[in-house]
Amino acid sequence: MKILVLEDELSIRDFVRINLKRQSYEVVEASTGEEALALAMMDREIDIALLDVMLPGMDGFAVCKELRHHYPRMGIIMLTAKGQEQDKVIGLEAGADDYVVKPFSPLELVARVKALYRRMHPDDGDLKQKLVVDPFTILLDERRLFKAGQEIELTPKEFELISLLMQQMNKAVSRDEILTAVWGKYYVGDLKIVDVNIRRIRQKIEADASRPKHLETVWGYGYLWRKEQADEGT
Ligand code: CA
């Protein structure tokens, strides 16, 4: 994903760039509206533009209108100042898709960018968020698991463990790898925590926890999520 950041204040621009790059997004920057438009005219690969409103020269709304005119499918988020409620309305009228109120946290900004990108690409967004392994459905963003339509209550660690295994179906994952991925590199304690959580998950998801059909043990190594082969002809 390529993002254009238009912001005249260097400290905010740096902050935004650093946090977007941390998500592996490509970032192009402009400090004036004129510069942003010139960039956008040269670079047709921009997916999303983040536009500050208050700028020397051309303001963010004018830039938004121009971008929207040339790129009907570009995602546009306005960076509006706190207390400037009317900015949201003007921005949306100028063709913006969303707005973030300053000061914003990196989490909030990234969440808005991701949400907008998903709205722009509903199909691949869905693939990443939702995993269906019959009879289970896991919603990765919402952190919820369903079995045959019934929600299964999981603790945060149980959820992380099960999503780790479900995302690598039929692949054995070692207990060490599970411990590091779910409890972190600096977890002090032993591997038994993995087995304890596996046992609890089995009680929640398996018809018979002593003879698991989904969450299998790989003796002397770890665990795997077994996806049964679909029956031919059914
Ligand atoms: Ca500004």
Side-chain angles (χ1 to χ4, degrees):
M1 187 186 339
K2 193 185 262 190
I3 303 177
L4 166 67
V5 178
L6 166 59
E7 168 64 66
D8 59 322
E9 272 173 70
L10 182 62
S11 60
I12 301 177
R13 206 165 71 230
D14 283 346
F15 166 83
V16 169
R17 184 195 59 243
I18 289 164
N19 285 289
L20 294 175
K21 285 203 162 170
R22 198 168 280 157
Q23 300 290 320
S24 308
Y25 302 149
E26 210 179 317
V27 179
V28 289
E29 298 170 59
S31 58
T32 66
E34 291 80 357
E35 203 186 320
L37 285 177
L39 265 172
M41 293 306 141
M42 283 186 322
D43 186 342
R44 310 207 148 249
E45 310 269 86
I46 294 167
D47 298 293
I48 290 179
L50 302 179
L51 308 177
D52 181 29
V53 175
M54 295 286 284
L55 297 161
M58 198 176 186
D59 73 13
F61 300 129
V63 177
C64 178
K65 265 189 203 151
E66 277 293 306
L67 286 178
R68 181 52 80 226
H69 175 70
H70 292 282
Y71 299 104
R73 285 153 50 85
M74 184 185 282
I76 302 177
I77 298 176
M78 304 302 298
L79 308 177
T80 65
K82 200 174 180 175
Q84 301 289 312
E85 299 303 312
Q86 72 278 18
D87 280 5
K88 298 170 190 170
V89 181
I90 301 170
L92 296 174
E93 278 173 2
D97 298 292
D98 202 358
Y99 55 84
V100 183
V101 180
K102 289 183 188 175
F104 45 79
S105 72
L107 273 179
E108 189 187 354
L109 179 72
V110 169
R112 292 299 184 90
V113 167
K114 281 189 180 163
L116 177 56
Y117 191 79
R118 275 205 300 272
R119 294 208 296 277
M120 295 158 61
H121 304 88
D123 298 336
D124 45 310
D126 204 44
L127 279 180
K128 271 176 237 141
Q129 280 183 90
K130 184 168 149 188
L131 196 63
V132 180
V133 190
D134 214 30
F136 296 95
T137 299
I138 191 162
L139 303 179
L140 295 168
D141 278 9
E142 293 178 33
R143 301 172 67 89
R144 297 167 79 188
L145 176 74
F146 297 83
K147 182 182 183 183
Q150 289 283 100
E151 181 155 16
I152 294 171
E153 300 284 339
L154 297 171
T155 67
K157 294 297 183 203
E158 288 168 0
F159 180 85
E160 279 164 38
L161 206 169
I162 200 167
S163 53
L164 177 76
L165 295 173
M166 278 177 92
Q167 288 180 84
Q168 321 179 56
M169 276 174 287
N170 296 331
K171 178 181 175 278
V173 183
S174 75
R175 293 157 85 224
D176 277 310
E177 203 179 314
I178 294 171
L179 188 72
T180 307
V182 176
W183 280 270
K185 214 171 169 169
Y186 302 103
Y187 176 76
V188 185
D190 68 46
L191 285 165
K192 281 202 190 92
I193 186 100
V194 175
D195 309 316
V196 169
N197 276 269
I198 291 278
R199 208 162 357 177
R200 280 208 300 257
I201 295 172
R202 279 178 177 156
Q203 275 157 9
K204 294 179 180 183
I205 66 160
E206 299 281 359
D208 178 355
S210 62
R211 273 181 294 167
K213 279 176 64 190
H214 307 292
L215 233 180
E216 290 184 4
T217 300
V218 181
W219 294 108
Y221 186 72
Y223 296 95
L224 76 72
W225 185 273
R226 174 68 65 194
K227 182 184 187 265
E228 291 161 46
Q229 301 294 320
D231 292 335
E232 296 291 326
T234 55

